[in-house]
């Protein structure tokens, strides 16, 4: 391949000039570290702006990481989402942990039997967990749009530009101080004139870059105002999310009340606060209530299957064989014989 001689000479000269500039900066920085050379200091206002910018970058990065951890607790999923973003592909549409829990509860409830107290309760709770999971996914999407994305955009856009310009300003400062050193060390008149010319150029470039960087640093205040608006939107999104969750759980509590389940670990006669009024009326009418001590599988269609710790209504059997060993049990619309040995009669 043919390269014109003039172009080759230009590239070589540029390479030599860039190498000389880099070497000059390294020498200047080394002398500053050793304390043998003076360093041009920026004014106090600029330093305050720079410090505020550094603080903003530090805490925005921390808040962003913490928010992402709250919205996506699984670190593996966060890494996967990051990789999909880098290759510009759509994120996988995952089910939430609540939705997986709901699916398994519904499947288990169908296995145990929708007609049993435990099976029907599992199905109802599973459906509720699915609703909670979907609500959670909607919240994650909304929070990501109104809060996570603006913070990430700031770090990857404005903050990267500030860091780039500050790095360029530091290079200009090193060039300026190197020119000052050369002027101090110049001995001949011609050498002093050349050094003074280089110093004027370096000072002009440094002042221009300092002004550009200062304007960018002053813009961090407007970024704070933007982040404040995003924070308000994030809080509003959380308020809606928790209100929706509260409503879903209240609906579930009302549904569960009709099943007359006792609170786990509570005393035998202690039931859920929202107990079905029908069961209370039955007790007042003179029917006996009993707590089931152990699980019991019905032997035939005349018997009623039992789940440990549930409370049922029982009646004495007078016109059936084996009445001394059995009672007639009721659970909602279900009726059947139940063995006395599996029951503990409740007294009030």
């Amino acid at each position: 391949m043919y390269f014109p001689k003039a172009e080759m000479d230009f590239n070589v000269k540029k390479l030599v000039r860039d190498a000389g500039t880099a070497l000059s900066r390294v020498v200047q920085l080394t002398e500053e570290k050793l304390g043998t050379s003076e360093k041009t200091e920026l004014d106090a206002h600029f330093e305050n702006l720079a410090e505020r910018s550094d603080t903003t970058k530090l805490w925005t990065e921390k808040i962003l990481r913490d928010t992402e951890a709250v919205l996506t607790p699984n670190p593996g999923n966060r890494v996967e989402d990051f990789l999909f973003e880098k290759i510009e592909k759509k994120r996988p549409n995952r089910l939430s942990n609540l939705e997986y829990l709901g699916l398994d509860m519904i499947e288990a409830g169908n296995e145990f039997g929708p007609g049993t107290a435990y099976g029907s309760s599992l199905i109802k709770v599973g459906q509720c967990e699915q609703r909670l999971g979907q609500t959670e996914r909607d919240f994650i999407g909304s929070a990501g749009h109104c809060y996570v994305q603006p913070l990430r955009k700031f770090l990857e856009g404005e903050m990267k530009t500030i860091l780039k310009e500050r790095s360029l300003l530091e290079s200009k400062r090193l060039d300026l101080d190197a020119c000052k050193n050369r002027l101090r060390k110049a001995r001949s008149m011609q050498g002093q004139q050349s050094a003074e010319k280089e110093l004027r150029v370096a000072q002009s470039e440094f002042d221009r870059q300092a002004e550009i960087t200062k304007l960018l640093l002053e813009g961090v205040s407007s970024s704070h105002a933007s982040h404040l608006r995003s924070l308000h939107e994030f809080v509003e999104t959380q308020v809606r999310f928790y209100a929706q969750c509260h409503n879903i759980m209240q609906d579930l509590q009302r549904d569960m009340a009709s099943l007359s389940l006792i609170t786990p670990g509570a005393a035998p006669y202690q039931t859920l606060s929202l107990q079905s009024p029908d069961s209370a009326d039955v007790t007042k009418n003179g029917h006996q209530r009993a707590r089931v001590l152990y699980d019991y599988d019905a032997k035939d269609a005349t018997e009623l299957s039992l789940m440990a710790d549930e409370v049922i209504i029982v009646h004495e059997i007078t016109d059936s064989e084996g009445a001394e060993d059995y009672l007639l049990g009721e659970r909602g619309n279900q009726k059947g014989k139940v063995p006395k040995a599996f029951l503990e009669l409740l007294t009030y």
Side-chain angles (χ1 to χ4, degrees), residues 19 22 33 164 170 202 239 262:
K33 296 294 183 182
K164 178 182 176 181
E170 178 65 9
V239 170
I262 67 167

Side-chain angles (χ1 to χ4, degrees), residues 71 138-151 230 233 237:
L71 299 179
D138 293 342
F139 162 67
I140 291 171
S142 298
H145 177 73
C146 73
Y147 193 58
V148 173
Q149 289 182 12
L151 294 186
S230 297
E233 292 180 17
T237 301

Side-chain angles (χ1 to χ4, degrees), residues 56-58 60-62 64 150-161 163 227:
T56 299
K57 177 178 182 295
L58 172 66
T60 302
E61 288 174 340
K62 287 185 177 182
L64 178 60
L151 294 186
R152 186 183 290 123
K153 184 178 179 181
F154 165 75
L155 291 173
E156 295 178 354
E158 183 177 345
M159 187 50 65
K160 275 190 176 181
T161 302
L163 293 176
H227 293 172

Side-chain angles (χ1 to χ4, degrees), residues 269-285:
Y269 54 86
Q270 195 168 17
T271 60
L272 288 174
S273 59
L274 290 180
Q275 183 180 322
S276 170
D278 293 338
S279 61
D281 292 341
V282 171
T283 304
K284 289 179 181 179
N285 291 334

Side-chain angles (χ1 to χ4, degrees), residues 246-296:
H246 179 68
N247 292 335
I248 291 172
M249 294 309 298
Q250 281 190 320
D251 291 342
L252 175 64
Q253 191 179 34
R254 283 191 290 268
D255 290 340
M256 294 291 287
S258 63
L259 300 178
S260 301
L261 296 177
I262 67 167
T263 305
Y269 54 86
Q270 195 168 17
T271 60
L272 288 174
S273 59
L274 290 180
Q275 183 180 322
S276 170
D278 293 338
S279 61
D281 292 341
V282 171
T283 304
K284 289 179 181 179
N285 291 334
H287 299 305
Q288 179 70 58
R289 302 182 69 189
R291 183 174 71 90
V292 179
L293 299 175
Y294 319 102
D295 291 346
Y296 178 75

Side-chain angles (χ1 to χ4, degrees), residues 82-145:
F82 174 79
L83 294 177
F84 272 97
E85 287 179 1
K86 290 302 179 183
I87 61 178
E88 297 182 350
K89 284 193 174 182
K90 186 178 180 181
R91 293 182 182 182
N93 189 22
R94 309 183 194 90
L95 293 180
S96 67
N97 292 334
L98 287 168
E99 288 174 301
Y100 280 119
L101 173 61
L103 284 174
D104 287 341
M105 281 185 166
I106 292 172
E107 187 175 347
N110 288 322
E111 285 287 332
F112 294 143
T116 64
Y118 186 44
S120 61
S121 296
L122 276 174
I123 292 173
K124 283 190 178 296
V125 175
Q127 292 170 344
C128 175
E129 297 299 332
Q130 286 187 316
R131 290 175 61 194
L132 287 173
Q134 181 59 53
T135 302
E136 182 185 51
R137 280 205 290 157
D138 293 342
F139 162 67
I140 291 171
S142 298
H145 177 73

